[in-house]
Amino acid sequence: SDLQKQEERGELLQPLIFVLLVLCSVLLYFKVSLMDPGFVKPEEEEGEDKGQSVVIPQIPGDIKLRRCGYCLVKQPMRAKHCQLCQHCVRRYDHHCPWLENCVGERNHPLFIVYLSVQLVVLLWGGHVAWSGLYFEQSWEWLQHNIFLLVSFLLIFIFSIVVLLLLVSHLYLISCNTTTWEFMSHHRISYLRHSELENPFDQGLILNLWRFFC
């Protein structure tokens, strides 16, 4: 049959890989959006002070951990309270409205993987949409191809957004900083009083290793 011939020629492999990537993207979306991003729990307060000086020795010693004015837990260094999630989040990056969840210490690496897979799916889908277009200057051609044109335009816009988001996050990760710290550097006490512009930066390789591994 035609299906068997296509399978023998390997023509079914690419659609299968594309479907698997889409499925992987959907599963990653739900995983990142539903998992604990690193909520600070009251029972974890004990021993927080001791761990800070080991991780970031460049921070002045007179900066003390403070209690959150909303949930009253002692905030570890780099944590921030999210008023939408009603929790303090460890190594808080940002609250993502598309995920309806914070991006923090626990789900940030998976968030990067999700963006990468999503970008591959979008670029592949854009290639498929573009390959299905053949251009003619006629109203009838426009009527028959309007769906493909709109699809390609939407895919192109989403691809640019995801690409910019992924590149910006990879840059911040390579510097060992977060979106919140980058945007609010002048308002964060442990950054404002530090002698270094970024006291967490330990070099590109070590920053990437500690983030992903």
Side-chain angles (χ1 to χ4, degrees):
S1 67
D2 291 339
L3 193 61
Q4 287 177 327
K5 290 178 181 177
Q6 287 179 333
E7 186 178 359
E8 289 172 0
R9 293 195 298 266
E11 294 177 2
L12 296 179
L13 185 60
Q14 286 191 359
L16 179 61
I17 294 174
F18 181 76
V19 170
L20 289 175
L21 279 173
V22 172
L23 180 61
C24 180
S25 174
V26 173
L27 291 175
L28 281 169
Y29 172 84
F30 284 109
K31 176 67 175 176
V32 176
S33 63
L34 295 175
M35 74 181 294
D36 178 354
F39 295 135
V40 181
K41 299 176 177 60
E43 60 269 20
E44 296 173 352
E45 289 185 15
E46 196 172 335
E48 287 287 359
D49 295 282
K50 190 181 294 183
Q52 300 304 321
S53 59
V54 177
V55 179
I56 36 179
Q58 301 93 334
I59 298 295
D62 57 345
I63 296 180
K64 303 297 182 184
L65 301 184
R66 69 182 189 88
R67 287 202 175 272
C68 174
Y70 297 96
C71 54
L72 302 179
V73 298
K74 187 178 285 186
Q75 285 185 337
M77 197 75 74
R78 311 189 79 178
K80 181 183 182 297
H81 183 86
C82 175
Q83 295 193 25
L84 294 173
C85 292
Q86 295 296 310
H87 283 287
C88 286
V89 180
R90 293 176 179 274
R91 209 182 69 215
Y92 175 87
D93 189 87
H94 70 286
H95 182 93
C96 181
W98 305 106
L99 296 172
E100 282 294 329
N101 194 14
C102 283
V103 175
E105 185 176 73
R106 294 190 62 190
N107 64 351
H108 200 170
L110 269 182
F111 179 71
I112 298 300
V113 175
Y114 165 69
L115 287 179
S116 302
V117 174
Q118 190 66 48
L119 182 61
V120 172
V121 169
L122 285 168
L123 292 175
W124 197 336
H127 171 71
V128 171
W130 181 260
S131 63
L133 287 171
Y134 61 94
F135 293 96
E136 292 181 9
Q137 293 182 350
S138 67
W139 176 249
E140 185 179 353
W141 174 87
L142 184 61
Q143 285 182 313
H144 282 89
N145 291 274
I146 187 67
F147 177 74
L148 273 177
L149 284 171
V150 172
S151 298
F152 180 77
L153 180 62
L154 288 174
I155 290 172
F156 177 77
I157 293 171
F158 284 125
S159 297
I160 295 297
V161 171
V162 173
L163 177 63
L164 291 175
L165 192 59
L166 179 60
V167 169
S168 64
H169 273 273
L170 288 175
Y171 169 74
L172 293 175
I173 291 165
S174 69
C175 301
N176 196 2
T177 189
T178 64
T179 303
W180 172 59
E181 290 171 342
F182 182 78
M183 300 294 290
S184 306
H185 188 281
H186 61 287
R187 294 193 291 113
I188 302 173
S189 59
Y190 58 81
L191 295 179
R192 192 171 67 246
H193 295 101
S194 173
E195 295 178 0
L196 302 176
E197 185 177 350
N198 180 12
F200 305 107
D201 188 4
Q202 295 180 301
L204 175 63
I205 302 300
L206 194 55
N207 289 341
L208 293 175
W209 174 263
R210 293 202 166 183
F211 180 83
F212 288 106
C213 305

